[in-house]
């Protein structure tokens, strides 16, 4: 009876330790950087005191080391690709518009942040933001506060959340949620799902980032 009790206690402690597994900031960055290209589906919700109700949209997304692409499918078909230096917008008729990255500092900052994260560029991330990282029960969170005074005039915080787990000797990491808080307290919330990973963009996807 005593042996059985000790066996149950040991198993409980072992399972508890496995469930409460924690990962470091560097392990999360290393896990994300293994994926050359991350793509999947997203839902977006914009909330503002000036809106009677939240604006919702959904579609597909791409995160590469060069930038981020949002291929919105609902309520309208549009494509928005944001790199560090320029923004590509494609409307539902296929018309393409190229603008300087400074024309939309919020989306530019989001793209640079995600690209830095998926490049594993901790140095650049900490150069631009005060980073508050935590991980518990395989759920990691990251709160980013801009250091640049110009950016902080329009952007208050970026919150990221995801999961991590050991798979053999590697750590498998996913980004699942992002919340952007603007200085006027307007919110943009994203949820990411159905992630897949690949090495190269298709010809069509390359066109979404092209300035031609």
């Amino acid at each position: 009876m005593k042996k059985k009790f000790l066996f149950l206690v040991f198993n409980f402690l072992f399972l508890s330790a496995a469930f409460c597994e924690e990962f470091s900031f560097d392990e999360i960055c290393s896990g994300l950087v293994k994926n050359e290209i991350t793509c999947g589906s997203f839902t977006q919700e914009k909330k503002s005191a000036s809106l009677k109700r939240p604006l919702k949209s959904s579609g597909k997304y791409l995160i590469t080391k060069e930038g981020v692409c949002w291929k919105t499918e609902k309520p309208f078909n549009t494509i928005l690709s944001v790199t560090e230096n320029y923004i590509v917008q494609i409307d539902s008729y296929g018309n393409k518009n190229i603008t300087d990255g400074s024309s939309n500092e919020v989306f530019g900052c989001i793209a640079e942040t995600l690209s830095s994260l998926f490049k594993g560029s901790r140095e650049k991330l900490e150069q631009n933001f005060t980073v508050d990282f935590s991980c518990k029960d395989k759920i990691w969170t990251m709160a980013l506060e801009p250091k640049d005074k110009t950016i902080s005039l329009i952007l208050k915080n970026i919150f990221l959340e995801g999961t991590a787990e050991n798979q053999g000797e590697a750590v498998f990491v996913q980004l699942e949620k992002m919340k952007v808080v603007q200085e006027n307290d307007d919110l943009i919330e994203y949820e990411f799902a159905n992630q897949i990973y690949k090495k190269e963009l298709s010809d069509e996807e390359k066109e979404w980032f092209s300035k031609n």
Side-chain angles (χ1 to χ4, degrees), residues 11 14 53 56 61 86 96 129 159 178 180 202 208:
N11 274 299
F14 176 80
R53 58 183 180 181
K56 297 182 180 181
Y61 75 92
Y86 63 91
K96 181 183 287 189
F129 297 94
F159 297 97
M178 178 172 66
V180 179
S202 66
W208 299 343

Side-chain angles (χ1 to χ4, degrees), residues 29-40 61-69 114-120 172-173 195-202 205 209:
C29 290
S30 296
L32 289 171
V33 80
K34 291 173 183 175
N35 306 315
E36 291 288 330
I37 300 167
T38 300
C39 47
Y61 75 92
L62 285 169
I63 299 176
T64 75
K65 292 176 173 59
E66 286 70 43
V68 180
C69 177
L114 292 177
S115 293
S116 295
L117 195 61
F118 279 77
K119 286 177 184 175
F172 179 69
V173 181
Q195 289 94 335
I196 59 173
Y197 309 98
K198 56 186 183 178
K199 297 291 184 181
E200 296 181 356
L201 295 173
S202 66
E205 291 165 346
F209 286 96

Side-chain angles (χ1 to χ4, degrees), residues 23 36 43 75 100 131 139 147 155 161 187 197 205:
F23 299 91
E36 291 288 330
T43 56
D100 186 85
V131 181
I139 305 293
K147 291 181 178 179
L155 189 64
E161 181 181 311
L187 299 178
Y197 309 98
E205 291 165 346

